[in-house]
Amino acid sequence: MKVLPILQKQPGFVDLIALRASDDQQRVVCLSFWEQRKARSVTTAGHYDSVVQTLKSVLETKPMQETLRVEISTAHHIAASRAA
C-alpha cells in the first residue's frame, strides 16, 4: 500500500487497518488511528489531497472521511492471533 509510508511519517499516527469486502473485491474500507483528533486534522489538511491523488487510478468514487472516537479496542488480540 503506497499510502502507509506517508501516514507513518506523520506525527500522532498510530495504525492503519485496511478491510476488503469478501463479496466485492473492489470495496475497501481503511481505518486510520491517531493519538489525538488534532494530529489527524493537521495531517489530513496537509496530505489528504496527495493521498487521494496517489490512489486516483484505483478509485471509482471520491473517498469519504468520517471522524469517530475509539470506545473500546481488542486490536492487540487480533495481532496476537495472526502472529500465532
Side-chain angles (χ1 to χ4, degrees):
M1 175 175 256
K2 296 177 183 181
V3 174
L4 186 57
I6 296 170
L7 295 177
Q8 287 174 323
K9 293 176 185 174
Q10 305 313 308
F13 175 75
V14 175
D15 199 3
L16 174 74
I17 297 175
L19 308 168
R20 184 180 303 272
S22 58
D23 61 341
D24 180 359
Q25 293 295 301
Q26 299 300 311
R27 184 165 184 247
V28 177
V29 175
C30 293
L31 307 171
S32 62
F33 296 88
W34 300 84
E35 289 175 2
Q36 297 175 355
R37 183 179 183 158
K38 183 178 178 182
R40 193 223 39 104
S41 297
V42 169
T43 297
T44 298
H47 296 282
Y48 180 75
D49 290 336
S50 64
V51 167
V52 171
Q53 192 65 27
T54 299
L55 298 173
K56 187 176 181 179
S57 65
V58 296
L59 295 174
E60 289 183 9
T61 61
K62 185 174 180 176
M64 180 182 72
Q65 290 187 74
E66 185 175 353
T67 301
L68 303 169
R69 185 177 68 227
V70 175
E71 291 292 327
I72 188 168
S73 172
T74 60
H76 60 284
H77 294 296
I78 294 170
S81 67
R82 289 190 79 186

